């Protein structure tokens, strides 16, 4: 069974601080990893993706991947109240045409 | 470039009825995937179409089906609706090119309520 696990939260972070969101996955054969942000009542919005070990930075966001430990994380620097949302981790498994397997998301609250 | 569009946005049906949902992918995208989102189960993969062929299917009963047309537009159908089919149905499109990592971009979704 291929699973993606996230802490559901809520994770409360003061404005201006770094928010750290974590995700673990069950299958070492996984290929690509995606972070989506979903505001209440809206559809998921792609923030960034990562496919190789290490860090990938895009503006205030940094994705970190450690395939040996089977985890991927998302750091949000200088957190803003507008970052308050549910963050979904998604994994695309290798070797086939599978869709994305999503975690259930972490609810992030940025406190002004 | 226009995003993914889904119609209708909201739908109310009764048990036993069937429903058809439509999705138009981003221009140039050839892959369309469908997902069901519920509070209890989260986002779950239904199926993926590429060049009018279903490439993979998630763990859903046969009441859930889909198809893709030559212009990449896709429809999904749910027959004999059950109360548990009430959910947000999301369509995602992907370029599926050799140079992409198949990032999927979601449409606004169709909110289905089964009474």
């Amino acid at each position: 069974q291929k699973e993606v696990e996230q802490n559901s939260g809520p994770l409360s972070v003061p404005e201006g601080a770094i928010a750290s969101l974590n995700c673990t996955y069950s299958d070492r054969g996984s290929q690509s990893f995606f972070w989506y942000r979903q505001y209440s009542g809206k559809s998921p919005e792609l923030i960034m993706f990562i496919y190789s070990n290490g860090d990938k930075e895009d503006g205030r966001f940094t994705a970190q991947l450690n395939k040996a430990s089977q985890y991927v994380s998302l750091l949000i620097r200088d957190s803003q109240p507008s970052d308050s949302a549910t963050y979904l981790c998604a994994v695309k498994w290798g070797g086939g045409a599978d869709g994305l397997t999503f975690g259930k998301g972490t609810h992030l609250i940025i406190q002004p | 470039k226009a995003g993914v569009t889904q119609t209708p946005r909201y739908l109310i049906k009764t048990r036993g009825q069937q429903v058809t949902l439509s999705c138009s992918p981003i221009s140039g995208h050839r892959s369309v995937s469908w997902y069901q989102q519920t509070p209890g189960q989260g986002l779950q993969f239904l199926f993926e179409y590429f060049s009018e062929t279903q490439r993979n299917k998630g763990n859903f009963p046969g009441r859930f089906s889909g198809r893709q047309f030559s212009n990449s537009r896709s429809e999904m159908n749910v027959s004999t609706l059950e109360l548990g089919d009430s959910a947000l149905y999301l369509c995602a499109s992907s370029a599926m090119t050799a140079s992409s990592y198949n990032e999927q971009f979601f449409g606004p979704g169709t909110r289905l309520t089964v009474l």
Side-chain angles (χ1 to χ4, degrees):
Chain A
Q1 183 79 358
K2 296 175 178 175
E3 296 181 339
V4 178
E5 300 287 341
Q6 294 182 258
N7 188 322
S8 62
L11 175 64
S12 187
V13 173
E15 183 175 359
I18 296 175
S20 178
L21 304 161
N22 300 312
C23 170
T24 58
Y25 57 93
S26 62
D27 193 316
R28 290 184 182 271
S30 50
Q31 186 177 60
S32 307
F33 306 85
F34 303 82
W35 282 101
Y36 286 85
R37 176 176 63 198
Q38 187 173 26
Y39 293 113
S40 180
K42 301 294 186 181
S43 62
E45 172 191 9
L46 180 65
I47 297 174
M48 60 191 307
F49 67 92
I50 187 168
Y51 56 92
S52 58
N53 279 325
D55 294 0
K56 179 181 179 182
E57 188 174 317
D58 184 359
R60 297 188 296 113
F61 299 95
T62 299
Q64 299 176 318
L65 175 60
N66 184 323
K67 288 190 174 183
S69 300
Q70 295 176 227
Y71 83 79
V72 56
S73 62
L74 179 70
L75 302 179
I76 307 175
R77 290 182 299 281
D78 188 24
S79 296
Q80 303 297 310
S82 60
D83 294 326
S84 298
T86 296
Y87 288 80
L88 299 164
C89 171
V91 177
K92 183 168 179 59
W93 313 106
D98 294 343
L100 297 176
T101 299
F102 282 84
K104 292 193 176 180
T106 297
H107 183 203
L108 175 66
I109 298 171
I110 306 300
Q111 295 181 322
Chain B
K1 188 183 269 191
V4 180
T5 59
Q6 291 186 246
T7 57
R9 294 292 311 279
Y10 302 92
L11 208 48
I12 299 175
K13 292 286 188 179
T14 56
R15 280 180 298 173
Q17 287 187 307
Q18 73 166 17
V19 66
T20 299
L21 312 180
S22 181
C23 170
S24 292
I26 293 170
S27 178
H29 283 196
R30 299 168 62 192
S31 170
V32 172
S33 298
W34 288 89
Y35 295 84
Q36 181 196 67
Q37 187 174 33
T38 59
Q41 298 299 317
L43 260 165
Q44 294 184 290
F45 171 68
L46 281 156
F47 28 66
E48 179 187 6
Y49 286 87
F50 178 75
S51 292
E52 302 178 64
T53 300
Q54 186 182 93
R55 301 206 316 163
N56 202 31
K57 184 170 166 45
N59 189 26
F60 278 82
R63 300 185 297 107
F64 292 81
S65 62
R67 59 177 174 169
Q68 186 179 33
F69 303 96
S70 59
N71 61 357
S72 296
R73 190 177 70 84
S74 177
E75 290 180 346
M76 69 163 281
N77 184 78
V78 188
S79 62
T80 319
L81 284 166
E82 301 177 359
L83 294 179
D85 296 333
S86 295
L88 180 66
Y89 289 88
L90 291 158
C91 163
S93 82
S94 176
M96 291 297 291
T97 64
S99 60
S100 78
Y101 285 91
N102 303 328
E103 310 95 284
Q104 294 187 13
F105 300 91
F106 284 88
T110 294
R111 172 75 61 185
L112 173 64
T113 301
V114 182
L115 303 176

